[in-house]
Amino acid sequence: MRLVDEDGSQIGVKATEEAREYAYGKNLDLVEVAAQADPPVARVMDYGKYRYEQEQKLKLARKHQISINVKEIKLRPKIGVHDYETKKGHVVRFLNQRAKVKVTIMFRGRETTHPERGRDLLMRLAEDVKEIGQVESPPLLDGRNMVMLLGPTKNAGVANAKAEDTQRSQEAIQGDRDGQDPPEAGNEEPPPEQEVA
C-alpha cells in the first residue's frame, strides 16, 4: 500500500499493518483514497474533519445555486377582457418574482380548428409584458393545448422594488410629521402660559 502523509508528502510503499500503526501513532485515521491503483493508495488524515469540510463545501454549493420556479397560467381562446387583465396581472407578478411562466391555452371541441386565435392571444400577452418578460419558447400546439414559456428579463422585479422603496419613504414621512412624533393622548403637558389650577 502506498502511503501519503497528512501534508501530502509521499512516505512510500508500506504493509497495511505498518501504515495503520503509522497513522494511529499520529492519532489520525488511515483512509484508502485510490483502491484501484497498483499498489492501492492510502492517506493519513483526520477523517471526521475531512467529512465535515466536504459537507460544508456541499452546503455552500447548494446555497449559491439558483432555483428557478416555473408557474403556470391557463387561458381559454374566448377569454373576456377583464379575465385577460386578471391573468396578465398574475403573469406580471410571477415575472417580478423572477419565476418563469408557462402560459397554456386550452382548446375544446371545434376551437381546435382555429389555433391562430390562441397564437394571437399568446403573442398579445407576450407583447403586453415585454418590459419584464421575454419569450423563451414560442407558442407550440401540443394536442389540445398551446403552450408558450416566458422568462424574466433583467428589468423584472426592479420596478417592484422601487415601488416598495417609495412606499416605505412615504410611510416614514407620514410617521415623522415634520420630524416630530405626535404626542400621545393623556401625556400632554399644558403650554406654560396656561397654568392649571
Side-chain angles (χ1 to χ4, degrees):
M1 162 177 302
R2 186 176 303 279
L3 192 59
V4 179
D5 205 358
E6 60 185 318
D7 58 1
S9 61
Q10 298 277 338
I11 294 175
V13 179
K14 302 264 186 187
T16 307
E17 283 303 316
E18 282 182 60
R20 195 176 296 138
E21 284 176 21
Y22 179 81
Y24 291 163
K26 287 191 156 194
N27 204 15
L28 294 171
D29 301 313
L30 183 67
V31 180
E32 190 174 42
V33 290
Q36 65 277 7
D38 186 34
V41 180
R43 185 172 186 150
V44 177
M45 68 170 78
D46 184 353
Y47 188 64
K49 184 179 176 184
Y50 172 75
R51 280 194 49 202
Y52 174 76
E53 288 171 355
Q54 294 300 317
E55 287 173 11
Q56 293 303 313
K57 283 180 186 174
L58 282 173
K59 204 180 278 186
L60 192 65
R62 268 186 259 131
K63 186 177 176 182
H64 292 299
Q65 198 174 33
I66 299 171
S67 61
I68 297 174
N69 295 331
V70 178
K71 305 281 190 175
E72 185 172 15
I73 294 286
K74 294 189 175 184
L75 306 170
R76 297 289 313 282
K78 295 180 183 176
I79 191 168
V81 175
H82 295 293
D83 292 338
Y84 172 79
E85 291 297 324
T86 302
K87 298 283 187 175
K88 184 178 86 172
H90 293 315
V91 170
V92 167
R93 188 179 79 225
F94 292 149
L95 289 171
N96 279 327
Q97 293 171 354
R98 309 291 301 163
K100 290 186 178 185
V101 183
K102 178 181 174 185
V103 186
T104 306
I105 293 191
M106 301 173 296
F107 295 103
R108 276 200 219 140
R110 286 181 279 174
E111 291 174 346
T112 55
T113 58
H114 297 287
E116 67 277 357
R117 285 187 177 182
R119 186 172 289 109
D120 291 344
L121 184 62
L122 287 174
M123 294 317 289
R124 178 175 139 206
L125 179 65
E127 186 64 29
D128 288 347
V129 298
K130 72 178 178 184
E131 303 278 318
I132 56 171
Q134 61 190 12
V135 178
E136 290 190 358
S137 168
L140 297 172
L141 195 60
D142 182 24
R144 291 181 163 269
N145 297 333
M146 185 174 282
V147 180
M148 177 178 72
L149 189 68
L150 293 171
T153 60
K154 291 179 182 176
N155 298 336
V158 174
N160 201 14
K162 284 182 183 174
E164 287 178 10
D165 287 344
T166 52
Q167 183 179 0
R168 283 188 194 129
S169 63
Q170 287 175 350
E171 288 172 357
I173 290 170
Q174 288 175 354
D176 283 349
R177 276 204 211 169
D178 299 329
Q180 298 177 358
D181 290 333
E184 294 179 21
N187 291 343
E188 292 181 15
E189 290 185 23
E193 57 271 346
Q194 294 178 354
E195 292 291 324
V196 179

